[in-house]
Amino acid sequence: MAPWPLLAACMIGGALLPVDTGIGQGAAVMGIALGLAVATQGARDGRQGERPAARFGWSRAGPAALALGLAGVLGLASSTLARGSPGAAALPFGIVRVEGRVSRTAVRRGAPTVYIDDARIDALGASPLRASHRRVRIRGVRALPGERIGVIARTFEWTAYRNPTPHPPWPTPPRVELDASARSTARLSKAKGAWLERARHHVRERFIETLPPGPAEVAMALVLGEGDAVSEDVTESIRDAGLAHVLAVSGLHVALVLWALGGALRAVFRRVPSLARRLDVTRIAATLMVTAAPLVASFAGGGPSAWRAGFTAALHYGCIALGRRPAPLRLLGASVVLIGLASPDDLTRPALALSSIATLVLLTAHPPAEPTPPELLRFAAWTSARVSLATLPVVAWCFGRVSWIGIVANVALVPFASVALIPLAFAHAVTATCGFGTAMTGPLLTFACDAFTAGSDWFARVPAFEWPPLSVWEGLAMALVASALAFLQGRRRWALAFVGVVAFGAGELVLRVAERPHDVLRVTFLDVGQGDAALVDLPDGGLMLIDAGGAGASRDPGELVIAPLLRARRRDHIDVVAVTHAHPDHYGGLAALLRRLPIRALWTNRQGPDEVPDGEFATMLRAAQARGIKVKTERDLCGHPHGFGRALVRVLAPCPGYDAGYDLNDNSMVLALEFAGRRVLMAGDIEAAGEAKLATRWRDGTVDVLKVPHHGSRTSSSDALLRAIRPSLAVASAGRRNRFGHPHAEVVERYRRARIPLFTTPERGGCIVEIDSGGRIQTSCAIDGPTRSAL
């Protein structure tokens, strides 16, 4: 049978495959086909009388290959089901009534929080919308696990921006589908069962009562797995020091507790002479630990790392109870397979990958038999370096920040955390629960927490290296290099590492060439929530950004969308930023871009700064001019085309200047991009008056691609404008479930009647329109995957 580690690897690989593009299904089918082919070959060999060892026979390779293929299929199917939960469109937002039984409680940033796994949600309003079987997190509620409650709350949508990028996101399904803040709470029934969650609740309350706020938060993270309880500044310093795994309940925490518990059970049994003489107390203790291991993992928060350690420990003690010698690598693989069966969405959690890789490094380490202190220090340093190397691909992909000082910080502080901080946290949990001994454990734990956070803060001050977002090819190449350096020996290590470095360099070169296209006009309509933003790759290699808006000040589109995408595309400056008008949903991300990137020119119209000279946008313009950025207005831009290689950019409105009788929308800057006989019209937020003016003056023939005016509001996209410009394709940028109803149903119907394909960012995410030098147009959108279709 296939080794358990390979089964686990195939299962995780299947879970991570991009199922929406067909690659995942193809790989799964190939896995089954390979298994069946090898099995068939083995069966034929067996009939011919050949020994199983002579070739890939059925007795070994056939079942192994089939098992590996089925493991990949199982991972693929389980992750598909996890991602395929009921559609988000059915979720009500705003003021709702949530009813359900509390599954667990926590503290997030100082606020009591409850989780309801199977909630019924009723929207309150003239047209109530009902949803069931939702995982809801509600802040500001104090309740016991097992209680059934009814809560009037305001729900909040998590904005997930979906844009085409060389760095696709890690495929993790959401743990919570709806986030809410309570306004009033009613208890509908008392708690029944859920004794483990009530025990967690009691320990949490005792931590709060017996410890200062900072150490109490750290203790909750270490013992209960509630990392969200720790304040943001402490979390940031610990993360920047490369020690985030200490606060996250990992295999280390669970292993320490289980080791102590198992040792205590053996010591107790040995002190019972009648039991010690008749039975093997080690096997008796191991039998009890098989049950205790998953309970400890669940008590510690039930995260992927905790469950991995719990399952591994349960299998380990199970082998001992049966009188068999545990095989650590097989147990690690088997525990991952069990996690995939018990909780499929955990297969794609970065925490499980990091925990499994770190455990694999520790299991393959060979400490010196009789170490001297210098040898022990060297072994600890090299083991820490190996863990950092092995986990580097996942850390670089998911977090983009790698601290070289983290190796030193791990060598210096992880032993302290293992010997002092974590044991003291669990010891204080016991004493605080029992009601005695807190006078001793409380001050000791407080001192240990303060020392650990102070050390983390010192290491965090050392600058960290920020990886540019990796492409898939670069991620695989980095994994090859990291695996070779962390796990191999001798010449093979350096040969494979060299191959990986060459592959990484080739991937970086290809990425830079592909993301700075020449003799091509590529327009990327970005998903930035309720706002407009479009990146324009110009034929001469330059870059233009038309608008930089988004959902609002709480979610900065420049910081969260535009800047990361530019880094993923290896763009280090913007040649021209054009802000069509001074509304926040069009300039909201500009401040972040001004901080992060060189910008050579800024185009806008003057109405906003003229009418509100002390406003935010006017202040931004003055800051841009102070940095040496050329600011041009419609008076400088109208009347003549602006060349970028073979492409021309024409400013069509407001020309020759803005009309003081119009509002900011109708005075929006309208731009036409022309290349290879094709035309893209960026219509800003013009409404009825602006559209009528544009339609009257339009003499340039048809438009190939139209950026829908004003996000598809009912006051825009008039029949007169559509008849005048006759677009072949339209793209509307808006936020999902936005309060304005954009794009409005009347407008969508108008485009349908005119037989104009309409792409909307709420439905398709960001979309790319590419025009090559021959005038051919191809389109692709984020949710359509990488395949492109001709227009």
Side-chain angles (χ1 to χ4, degrees):
M1 183 57 67
W4 284 104
L6 288 180
L7 284 172
C10 287
M11 204 173 201
I12 294 176
L16 293 177
L17 285 172
V19 295
D20 56 338
T21 63
I23 297 177
Q25 295 94 325
V29 171
M30 288 178 63
I32 294 179
L34 175 63
L36 292 176
V38 175
T40 304
Q41 179 66 36
R44 188 171 70 248
D45 293 343
R47 288 195 302 270
Q48 294 172 356
E50 297 186 13
R51 291 183 302 162
R55 298 177 65 179
F56 278 127
W58 168 253
S59 63
R60 291 187 179 181
L66 185 59
L68 294 175
L70 290 176
V73 173
L74 182 59
L76 174 68
S78 61
S79 66
T80 303
L81 291 174
R83 298 171 199 164
S85 57
L91 289 173
F93 293 92
I95 304 299
V96 301
R97 186 179 190 276
V98 182
E99 182 179 321
R101 194 173 300 279
V102 176
S103 60
R104 70 185 184 95
T105 59
V107 174
R108 286 176 50 84
R109 305 293 185 254
T113 304
V114 298
Y115 293 77
I116 301 176
D117 288 341
D118 190 10
R120 171 180 170 177
I121 310 164
D122 293 312
L124 303 181
S127 300
L129 178 65
R130 178 171 296 174
S132 299
H133 308 295
R134 298 295 185 178
R135 292 169 290 183
V136 182
R137 176 172 58 202
I138 310 176
R139 292 170 290 183
V141 175
R142 292 187 179 275
L144 290 175
E147 286 186 336
R148 188 170 185 83
I149 61 174
V151 183
I152 303 298
R154 175 178 290 277
T155 59
F156 304 95
E157 180 180 9
W158 294 351
T159 303
Y161 301 119
R162 303 164 300 173
N163 287 292
T165 172
H167 179 77
W170 191 274
T172 303
R175 280 282 188 178
V176 177
E177 294 178 279
L178 203 61
D179 207 6
S181 179
R183 295 194 168 189
S184 65
T185 305
R187 282 166 175 78
L188 305 180
S189 66
K190 295 182 178 180
K192 296 180 181 180
W195 62 269
L196 191 64
E197 279 295 338
R198 288 203 297 275
R200 283 169 47 86
H201 178 77
H202 179 69
V203 170
R204 182 187 306 112
E205 294 297 322
R206 295 297 294 159
F207 278 153
I208 294 173
E209 292 173 5
T210 59
L211 292 171
E217 294 169 356
V218 173
M220 283 188 276
L222 294 175
V223 176
L224 303 175
E226 296 177 359
D228 289 338
V230 183
S231 61
E232 293 185 10
D233 54 342
V234 173
T235 301
E236 185 176 355
S237 66
I238 292 176
R239 182 181 63 246
D240 291 347
L243 297 166
H245 60 91
V246 176
L247 276 189
V249 171
S250 63
L252 173 64
H253 302 64
V254 176
L256 286 174
V257 174
L258 292 174
W259 174 78
L261 184 57
L265 284 175
R266 288 193 300 271
V268 169
F269 291 156
R270 287 194 182 104
R271 291 182 178 273
V272 181
S274 59
L275 188 64
R277 283 194 303 266
R278 297 179 182 179
L279 300 173
D280 185 343
V281 297
T282 299
R283 294 178 66 177
I284 296 298
T287 303
L288 295 177
M289 291 301 296
V290 171
T291 303
L295 289 177
V296 170
S298 181
F299 185 85
S305 303
W307 278 123
R308 197 274 312 153
F311 280 135
T312 304
L315 293 171
H316 171 85
Y317 287 115
C319 289
I320 295 176
L322 294 173
R324 304 191 62 174
R325 183 179 179 181
L329 289 179
R330 291 184 179 180
L331 296 183
L332 173 62
S335 67
V336 173
V337 172
L338 288 175
I339 289 173
L341 295 173
S343 180
D345 58 341
D346 280 343
L347 284 174
T348 58
R349 303 285 172 190
L352 179 63
L354 292 170
S355 175
S356 301
I357 293 170
T359 304
L360 183 62
V361 171
L362 297 176
L363 292 177
T364 55
H366 302 288
E370 297 179 358
T372 62
E375 289 177 337
L376 189 61
L377 183 61
R378 283 196 297 271
F379 172 75
W382 175 233
T383 302
S384 179
R386 285 183 62 211
V387 170
S388 298
L389 280 171
T391 56
L392 175 63
V394 179
V395 173
W397 185 276
C398 295
F399 308 110
R401 184 179 175 89
V402 180
S403 175
W404 64 270
I405 201 66
I407 297 176
V408 181
N410 275 269
V411 173
L413 294 181
V414 168
F416 172 76
S418 304
V419 174
L421 181 60
I422 298 173
L424 281 172
F426 282 95
H428 187 73
V430 173
T431 59
T433 302
C434 296
F436 62 86
T438 56
M440 180 177 64
T441 58
L444 289 175
L445 177 57
T446 299
F447 174 78
C449 288
D450 292 342
F452 180 77
T453 53
S456 301
D457 186 61
W458 187 86
F459 282 111
R461 295 175 186 175
V462 179
F465 176 75
E466 291 193 5
W467 285 97
L470 304 176
S471 66
V472 174
W473 177 263
E474 288 177 320
L476 294 175
M478 180 180 286
L480 177 62
V481 175
S483 300
L485 295 178
F487 296 108
L488 298 183
Q489 300 290 332
R491 294 182 178 179
R492 289 185 302 168
R493 168 192 290 177
W494 302 111
L496 283 179
F498 176 76
V499 171
V501 169
V502 172
F504 187 92
E508 181 69 15
L509 179 62
V510 169
L511 179 62
R512 289 181 178 272
V513 171
E515 296 303 332
R516 192 184 293 266
H518 285 263
D519 213 20
V520 168
L521 180 69
R522 182 175 67 177
V523 184
T524 306
F525 298 91
L526 298 178
D527 176 9
V528 288
Q530 183 59 24
D532 268 358
L535 284 169
V536 182
D537 293 290
L538 298 160
D540 62 352
L543 179 66
M544 186 176 191
L545 173 66
I546 301 176
D547 286 328
S554 61
R555 295 183 62 83
D556 187 332
E559 195 74 36
L560 297 176
V561 178
I562 303 173
L565 181 56
L566 292 177
R567 291 182 66 232
R569 289 184 171 186
R570 303 306 190 262
R571 289 288 196 166
D572 55 8
H573 72 275
I574 304 176
D575 294 281
V576 178
V577 173
V579 179
T580 58
H581 61 293
H583 276 162
D585 61 335
H586 289 253
Y587 72 77
L590 182 58
L593 299 178
L594 288 171
R595 291 192 304 268
R596 285 178 165 268
L597 291 166
I599 297 173
R600 295 178 178 173
L602 197 157
W603 296 2
T604 188
N605 75 60
R606 289 293 312 176
Q607 184 180 17
D610 286 348
E611 293 182 350
V612 189
D614 296 328
E616 182 181 28
F617 185 63
T619 303
M620 241 182 246
L621 290 183
R622 287 193 291 271
Q625 288 175 316
R627 291 181 51 188
I629 299 174
K630 296 180 180 178
V631 176
K632 296 185 178 181
T633 68
E634 69 275 16
R635 296 174 184 174
D636 308 307
L637 301 169
C638 290
H640 60 279
H642 305 270
F644 298 90
R646 292 175 53 199
L648 296 178
V649 179
R650 301 178 185 273
V651 177
L652 305 180
C655 293
Y658 69 84
D659 188 331
Y662 288 176
D663 62 10
L664 289 174
N665 283 345
D666 276 319
N667 274 319
S668 288
M669 184 181 290
V670 177
L671 300 97
L673 315 176
E674 301 173 2
F675 176 70
R678 299 289 191 171
R679 185 175 292 106
V680 179
L681 185 66
M682 310 295 291
D685 270 5
I686 56 174
E687 298 181 89
E691 286 190 3
K693 190 174 182 179
L694 178 63
T696 301
R697 296 181 177 181
W698 185 261
R699 298 290 185 273
D700 294 331
T702 60
V703 166
D704 297 285
V705 181
L706 169 68
K707 199 291 295 182
V708 172
H710 200 197
H711 319 290
S713 76
R714 66 173 62 183
T715 57
S716 301
S717 296
S718 63
D719 288 325
L721 178 67
L722 297 183
R723 284 195 302 268
I725 64 176
R726 290 171 291 163
S728 302
L729 171 70
V731 181
S733 179
R736 278 175 290 169
R737 288 180 290 273
N738 63 85
R739 61 190 178 92
F740 307 103
H742 297 160
H744 200 273
E746 294 178 12
V747 173
V748 174
E749 176 62 20
R750 202 172 297 153
Y751 282 95
R752 189 195 66 79
R753 287 199 313 267
R755 297 184 179 179
I756 302 169
L758 176 63
F759 292 1
T760 67
T761 57
E763 293 180 350
R764 294 176 174 259
C767 292
I768 294 177
V769 175
E770 186 173 294
I771 305 172
D772 65 18
S773 58
R776 290 178 292 272
I777 301 179
Q778 289 188 323
T779 63
S780 65
C781 295
I783 68 166
D784 296 335
T787 57
R788 298 190 173 193
S789 57
L791 186 65

